[in-house]
Amino acid sequence: MTQVTLPEYSNIATTLKSDSLAVTPAEMHGLLAGMLCGGLDPDSSNWMPMLYDYTNDGQGWPHQSLGLAASALAQSSSELIDGQMDFELLLPDENESLLDRGDAVSDWVSAFIAGIGLVGVTAGKLSDDTKEVLADLAEIAQLGIDEDDDQEEQALLLEQVIEHVRVCAMTLHAELGIKPAKEDAKPTLH
């Protein structure tokens, strides 16, 4: 399978903005990843109406932005099902301001939680561990960077939060997400 790679965060942001979409790359990616982790079949096209409803009042996306969303969905799906623990959040580069990165993490997590809800996951069907993971994510969505605190310490804490969010997403996908189809086992001749 060919590995899908996305353009840089800032280039995606420029495309979304030029297409008059009021969504950040972090929100777009978080929403799509949430839908995947909630059980969305990545091979179906039913993700598009959910994306349109959540981000653009039900209106379709222009071709270039939709292509970026489709690539983000394909890349996330591949990362989540390959078992290599290499799922990554789409966030601004580390050279961007700490406040911007912190806001993007919050936006990503909020959209991720919304994506899980959009595919119809309800709390009654979840294990206690999954409920705990979602509770952690809900708390993380409320976090922010304190400008008055030590910025180096805040940067380290943000990296720890990003890693925790990454693991939470993979944990949710392991319980709720679509698993890769197992190849038909060929009978062994003796």
Side-chain angles (χ1 to χ4, degrees):
M1 179 189 299
T2 305
Q3 178 64 32
V4 177
T5 56
L6 293 172
E8 287 185 30
Y9 187 94
S10 60
N11 293 340
I12 296 171
T14 300
T15 299
L16 294 172
K17 187 175 183 176
S18 70
D19 282 344
S20 300
L21 296 170
V23 61
T24 67
E27 291 169 318
M28 175 193 74
H29 188 258
L31 184 71
L32 295 169
M35 289 190 282
L36 288 168
C37 290
L40 175 77
D41 180 353
D43 295 328
S44 73
S45 61
N46 62 347
W47 61 273
M48 287 183 272
M50 289 185 275
L51 176 73
Y52 300 157
D53 285 344
Y54 188 80
T55 63
N56 201 29
D57 294 325
Q59 301 298 310
W61 278 27
H63 181 72
Q64 191 171 2
S65 289
L66 184 59
L68 289 171
S71 293
L73 183 79
Q75 179 176 342
S76 295
S77 176
S78 174
E79 291 173 351
L80 286 164
I81 64 173
D82 75 2
Q84 298 299 313
M85 305 291 284
D86 61 353
F87 175 71
E88 294 294 328
L89 282 60
L90 180 59
L91 298 171
D93 294 331
E94 291 180 10
N95 61 354
E96 295 295 322
S97 83
L98 189 58
L99 290 175
D100 288 346
R101 284 184 49 82
D103 287 346
V105 170
S106 180
D107 290 345
W108 192 98
V109 172
S110 294
F112 179 84
I113 293 168
I116 289 174
L118 284 175
V119 294
V121 173
T122 59
K125 299 178 182 177
L126 302 177
S127 71
D128 289 342
D129 288 342
T130 301
K131 288 177 186 175
E132 186 176 325
V133 167
L134 286 171
D136 279 0
L137 290 173
E139 283 184 40
I140 290 169
Q142 304 304 313
L143 294 179
I145 302 294
D146 188 344
E147 294 180 64
D148 297 329
D149 283 351
D150 179 347
Q151 294 298 293
E152 221 173 279
E153 183 180 331
Q154 293 280 310
L156 287 173
L157 290 172
L158 182 62
E159 290 307 313
Q160 291 173 357
V161 167
I162 291 169
E163 180 61 19
H164 183 68
V165 169
R166 200 176 77 76
V167 171
C168 286
M170 290 185 292
T171 300
L172 289 170
H173 187 268
E175 182 167 327
L176 304 171
I178 300 288
K179 310 304 180 271
K182 296 188 186 218
E183 293 182 26
D184 295 331
K186 294 182 181 174
T188 305
L189 297 176
H190 293 290

